Every structure is written in C-alpha cells, then in structure tokens.
Amino acid sequence: MYGHQLSAHLAPNEPTYADTNVIDGKHVPARHWGVILPMEEWEQLAAKLKGQSVKFIIAPYIRFKDQVGEQATMFLLDPSGNVLEFKAFRDEGEVFRKAEGKASSSKHE
C-alpha cells in the first residue's frame, strides 16, 4: 500500500458509497480512501486497470486541466465494495493548493 497501512472491519450496516459530492462535473463518493502516486506510476496503473476491463466509478482522467491543482484521478471499488481513489499530480507542490493560492482544507477543492 505504498508504505501505508489501512485497517478495515466488516460493518454490514454501514452506508454504501451512494453519498457523493459534485466535483469537476463528476459525482465523487464522499467516503473513500486514496493514495497519491507519482504520475508515471498512476499512468501505468490506469493502463493496466483499463486493460483488465476494471469497472470504474470514475474512469481515469485529468481533473482541473491547466489549473492550479491539476491532477490525474480514478475511482474504483475494491472486492469488498470500498471506494478507492488513485491520483497523481504533475506538480506535487500543488497537492493542497487552491486557485487563490491558499492551502486547501479538503483534498478535492
């Protein structure tokens, strides 16, 4: 997991990923877990998943094209139904930046 550990417990009464926020015209699942990869690794993973006909919640694409915070992103489900996001930034210094240059309180702003 890219040097990270994730602990999850079975909780059958938990809500699904039906709750979303509209970001860049897409319905992004409000509850999800994600990692930031180097751009080359993200591109390789996206190609591999597409080649295996993985069903995406949000297919790989570039969000905020030519804007501060431009990023590659994709969302999919793991085998247990958890939402996973994989993203990459061309400029890793923009991970928490917003257009007005202030630090973002949300990774999706």
Side-chain angles (χ1 to χ4, degrees), residues 24-104:
D24 197 30
K26 307 233 186 272
H27 291 272
V28 174
R31 269 183 7 145
H32 64 275
W33 183 83
V35 296
I36 298 173
L37 305 174
M39 185 60 76
E40 186 176 316
E41 286 184 37
W42 184 92
E43 291 168 339
Q44 291 171 357
L45 179 60
K48 181 178 181 177
L49 295 172
K50 285 180 181 179
Q52 294 178 353
S53 300
V54 167
K55 182 179 177 186
F56 294 96
I57 295 171
I58 297 176
Y61 83 107
I62 303 298
R63 177 189 291 167
F64 311 131
K65 183 78 174 151
D66 298 322
Q67 299 176 41
V68 172
E70 178 179 322
Q71 60 194 259
T73 188
M74 61 181 140
F75 288 80
L76 57 138
L77 296 175
D78 74 7
S80 296
N82 299 300
V83 180
L84 305 177
E85 176 186 20
F86 294 90
K87 67 168 50 178
F89 290 81
R90 292 240 179 255
D91 178 352
E92 290 182 13
E94 294 193 353
V95 172
F96 296 107
R97 289 192 57 215
K98 292 174 28 176
E100 49 290 352
K102 297 178 184 175
S104 173

